[in-house]
Amino acid sequence: MCNCSKDKVNMKIAFDGRYAEGNLVGIGKYTENLVSGLIDRGVECVVFYSKKPKVAFRESEQVILDSSNRYYYEQVLLPVSLKEKKVDIYHALGNIGISPFSPVPTVLTVHDVIPLEIRGYFDELNFPFISRSSYFLRLTSSCFFAKKIITDTNYVKRQLVQKLGVSGKKITVVNPGVKISGKETNLSFKLTKKRYILNHGGIDKRKNLERLLDAFKTVGNLFPQLKLVIIGDNPHLKLKLQEKAKSLGLINKIVFT
């Protein structure tokens, strides 16, 4: 969210909307609120997608660069379209995606560098070495060519400085805001009136959910009335978590939604 004055800003900013093409969670929600906040300030916003999004942001221009090839999208289609649309700034919102061929100044938001911190992060993919090398190249290249970098936390800023040698002067920490709707939400699953610990960070390797189960095993011994609710969908990883929960004797104390 943008906690700014309402003075009109005569500027046209383009955004990487690829993380907002499906359901708006995580970076997609970050994109939605950032674009919405800037539109409220009078900024003209253009959102670039690689396919038609499920949800279109209000009052923003949509540009669909139809390509499933991320390199062709970022290095060829995007720079050409940025020039055609005559934007002032391009903002990549998902850790990577800055092209050295960009015709306009660029901003990059880096939320984390977890793939660099977790050993074997890419091991379950078909080509781990290629995936790891591609991620590292795209991240370092994006950080190098970005005019400005935004991180969510000081920790991520330190990681970029220490692991990638990025100048700290180039990085600004902007803590993400939160949008409070004030409305009640009906859950799509039923929970009886008991005591729960809710994990709503999604199911992903970077979320360290196996360690969460280990921790809950300890907590559950102290507070046997507690249950753990894990929200998200990842069939392969969810199965592994269910197997671990069973081995820990927790299968009846964990709710997967």
Side-chain angles (χ1 to χ4, degrees), residues 64-119:
I64 300 175
L65 306 177
D66 191 8
S67 176
S68 59
N69 186 312
R70 66 185 68 176
Y71 303 101
Y72 183 62
Y73 176 98
E74 294 170 2
Q75 308 303 326
V76 179
L77 297 179
L78 182 61
V80 171
S81 193
L82 288 173
K83 186 174 182 179
E84 290 177 348
K85 292 297 179 179
K86 297 180 180 179
V87 302
D88 297 298
I89 297 173
Y90 176 68
H91 190 169
L93 301 162
N95 304 333
I96 50 183
I98 298 294
S99 170
F101 308 112
S102 174
V104 300
T106 54
V107 179
L108 174 70
T109 295
V110 179
H111 302 279
D112 65 65
V113 291
I114 290 175
L116 297 182
E117 299 181 276
I118 299 179
R119 182 175 297 177

Side-chain angles (χ1 to χ4, degrees), residues 2-65:
C2 182
N3 185 19
C4 314
S5 68
K6 294 295 183 179
D7 296 335
K8 296 297 182 181
V9 179
N10 185 23
M11 183 176 289
K12 188 174 185 180
I13 303 179
F15 299 89
D16 183 354
R18 286 175 294 176
Y19 288 90
E21 291 173 344
N23 296 324
L24 296 180
V25 298
I27 298 176
K29 182 61 69 173
Y30 174 83
T31 305
E32 177 191 33
N33 286 330
L34 180 58
V35 171
S36 175
L38 289 171
I39 287 175
D40 287 343
R41 287 200 65 191
V43 176
E44 185 178 356
C45 294
V46 183
V47 185
F48 286 88
Y49 302 96
S50 63
K51 61 182 179 181
K52 185 177 180 180
K54 283 187 176 181
V55 180
F57 300 146
R58 64 177 181 84
E59 299 179 41
S60 65
E61 180 181 356
Q62 297 178 58
V63 178
I64 300 175
L65 306 177

Side-chain angles (χ1 to χ4, degrees), residues 31-256:
T31 305
E32 177 191 33
N33 286 330
L34 180 58
V35 171
S36 175
L38 289 171
I39 287 175
D40 287 343
R41 287 200 65 191
V43 176
E44 185 178 356
C45 294
V46 183
V47 185
F48 286 88
Y49 302 96
S50 63
K51 61 182 179 181
K52 185 177 180 180
K54 283 187 176 181
V55 180
F57 300 146
R58 64 177 181 84
E59 299 179 41
S60 65
E61 180 181 356
Q62 297 178 58
V63 178
I64 300 175
L65 306 177
D66 191 8
S67 176
S68 59
N69 186 312
R70 66 185 68 176
Y71 303 101
Y72 183 62
Y73 176 98
E74 294 170 2
Q75 308 303 326
V76 179
L77 297 179
L78 182 61
V80 171
S81 193
L82 288 173
K83 186 174 182 179
E84 290 177 348
K85 292 297 179 179
K86 297 180 180 179
V87 302
D88 297 298
I89 297 173
Y90 176 68
H91 190 169
L93 301 162
N95 304 333
I96 50 183
I98 298 294
S99 170
F101 308 112
S102 174
V104 300
T106 54
V107 179
L108 174 70
T109 295
V110 179
H111 302 279
D112 65 65
V113 291
I114 290 175
L116 297 182
E117 299 181 276
I118 299 179
R119 182 175 297 177
Y121 183 84
F122 298 98
D123 285 356
E124 295 181 4
L125 300 180
N126 292 331
F127 305 101
F129 176 77
I130 295 176
S131 298
R132 186 183 305 110
S133 300
S134 173
Y135 169 80
F136 183 79
L137 177 62
R138 295 176 73 208
L139 177 62
T140 54
S141 175
S142 293
C143 288
F144 180 81
F145 287 106
K147 285 288 186 181
K148 192 71 179 177
I149 298 173
I150 294 172
T151 61
D152 298 339
T153 63
N154 283 297
Y155 174 79
V156 176
K157 177 179 179 177
R158 289 196 301 271
Q159 293 297 89
L160 291 179
V161 172
Q162 294 169 6
K163 292 183 179 294
L164 301 181
V166 180
S167 171
K169 295 180 181 180
K170 193 177 187 178
I171 305 171
T172 299
V173 177
V174 181
N175 305 127
V178 60
K179 183 178 181 180
I180 306 298
S181 66
K183 298 179 181 178
E184 292 187 1
T185 300
N186 293 321
L187 301 177
S188 60
F189 52 92
K190 301 296 182 181
L191 296 178
T192 56
K193 290 186 177 181
K194 294 184 179 180
R195 299 182 67 187
Y196 297 92
I197 295 175
L198 176 66
N199 179 81
H200 59 93
I203 298 181
D204 186 278
K205 187 172 183 178
R206 68 179 61 210
K207 303 299 182 179
N208 209 4
L209 293 178
E210 291 193 10
R211 181 61 60 86
L212 174 64
L213 297 188
D214 290 331
F216 182 68
K217 172 70 173 179
T218 301
V219 172
N221 290 334
L222 299 173
F223 304 96
Q225 73 275 25
L226 283 176
K227 285 194 171 184
L228 173 64
V229 180
I230 298 178
I231 292 176
D233 189 28
N234 183 323
H236 175 68
L237 187 53
K238 182 183 286 188
L239 180 60
K240 291 181 64 177
L241 291 172
Q242 289 171 332
E243 291 173 350
K244 182 176 178 68
K246 186 175 181 179
S247 70
L248 293 173
L250 298 173
I251 195 64
N252 294 323
K253 302 187 68 175
I254 299 179
V255 179
F256 290 94

